[in-house]
Amino acid sequence: MAGDWRDALAGLNLTRDSYVTVLTGSGFSAESGVPTFRGEDGLWRNFRAQDLATPEAFARDPRLVWEWYDWRRGIIAGKEPNPAHYAVTDLENMFERFLLITQNVDGLHRRAGTVKLVELHGYIFGMRCTADGTVTENLEVPLAAIPPECECGAMLRPDVVWFGEALPERAITAALDASRECDLMLVAGTAAVVQPAASMPLMAKQAGAFVIEINTEFTPISPYVDLTLQGKAGAMMPQMVSALRDLIT
Ligand code: OAD
């Protein structure tokens, strides 16, 4: 079975100068034990994530929203990167040009050592001042004060993108440029339904890149990519990175 998908890589002309991108979603952290956004395990006090991760919810009840984030931060703080996260760092070290585009806010890619990355939806241990937008990292778990306050006295908010908000300009520009310019894109652990991340693999494909998907199930982009591997990222990513390493000329 393993031979089948490796054969599909045969036409790839990879050198150390090839531009490689990786796009990840919440499935990538599932094997680390981080609850997914939409699954039942993501429920908190009977609230759905979609009802709490909004500017309206924060304006109405910042304490409630911060309590939910405190709960999520606590879960994530106790988890470790899994072999898929480390495989991304290995990949970064194999190529001169590389970018990881992640929709995850858990910071597990950072903790696995990946440096060239954009966090499209922000970082859950980042705090943004609601007065002047200054961002600081805060790893305190649980938080001493809810809602937390900035030194300037204004309320802090999580430095994440909420439903209905625009993505950070710099992150989206870097991600779109990389999607258009890369030679190879790996898409793993994302349902590929939330825009604009969902269209990045298709942009890469249209611009001539070879696109590989790793997911436990088929997704809307599966019919359009060059290779879809059904399986868990924690098992498949290290195998894929090893196969790509063998191809570099
Ligand atoms: P989803 O929860 O929508 O999709 C997770 C995907 O990972 C699914 O397609 C699963 O089949 C797959 N999956 C689960 N376990 C896996 C594993 N071990 N290995 C490989 N694949 C696995 O998550 P995202 O696509 O990340 O946005 O959703 C994107 C965004 O939707 C999130 O970032 C969040 C949410 O709205 C914001 O918070 C702004």
Side-chain angles (χ1 to χ4, degrees), residues 4-203:
D4 294 341
W5 64 260
R6 280 166 203 264
D7 291 347
L9 305 177
L12 266 175
N13 284 320
L14 286 182
T15 68
R16 272 194 65 79
D17 288 331
S18 298
Y19 191 172
V20 175
T21 56
V22 181
L23 173 66
T24 66
S26 70
F28 216 79
S29 293
E31 288 159 85
S32 292
V34 178
T36 55
F37 217 74
R38 293 184 183 78
E40 284 293 310
D41 53 351
L43 280 182
W44 174 78
R45 294 191 202 166
N46 291 328
F47 288 100
R48 295 182 315 152
Q50 293 91 317
D51 297 330
L52 292 167
T54 68
E56 293 77 18
F58 189 67
R60 198 166 46 234
D61 194 344
R63 187 175 175 83
L64 177 75
V65 172
W66 262 117
E67 282 175 352
W68 177 57
Y69 275 98
D70 195 37
W71 173 74
R72 292 182 61 201
R73 287 161 53 103
I75 292 172
I76 292 165
K79 308 298 183 202
E80 298 296 330
N82 68 59
H85 294 103
Y86 290 109
V88 172
T89 305
D90 288 344
L91 200 61
E92 172 175 37
N93 293 330
M94 281 159 50
F95 295 96
E96 297 292 336
R97 293 184 297 156
F98 177 89
L99 188 69
L100 165 69
I101 305 163
T102 186
Q103 298 164 86
N104 299 344
V105 298
D106 55 36
L108 290 179
H109 281 294
R110 298 176 181 217
R111 281 170 55 195
T114 301
V115 175
K116 293 177 185 163
L117 85 175
V118 292
E119 294 166 315
L120 281 182
H121 295 163
Y123 174 47
I124 200 164
F125 294 104
M127 291 199 177
R128 195 191 316 156
C129 175
T130 53
D132 68 8
T134 308
V135 175
T136 49
E137 189 183 45
N138 176 318
L139 298 170
E140 187 181 44
V141 169
L143 287 166
I146 290 182
E149 273 186 9
C150 182
E151 283 172 356
C152 75
M155 202 189 295
L156 290 163
R157 59 162 281 177
D159 189 31
V160 298
V161 178
W162 284 328
F163 292 104
E165 291 187 321
L167 270 57
E169 184 68 31
R170 274 231 305 265
I172 186 72
T173 303
L176 291 173
D177 286 351
S179 302
R180 278 187 288 261
E181 291 165 21
C182 67
D183 301 301
L184 170 66
M185 179 182 275
L186 265 65
V187 186
T190 176
V193 289
V194 176
Q195 293 296 354
S199 57
M200 290 174 189
L202 306 178
M203 287 176 62

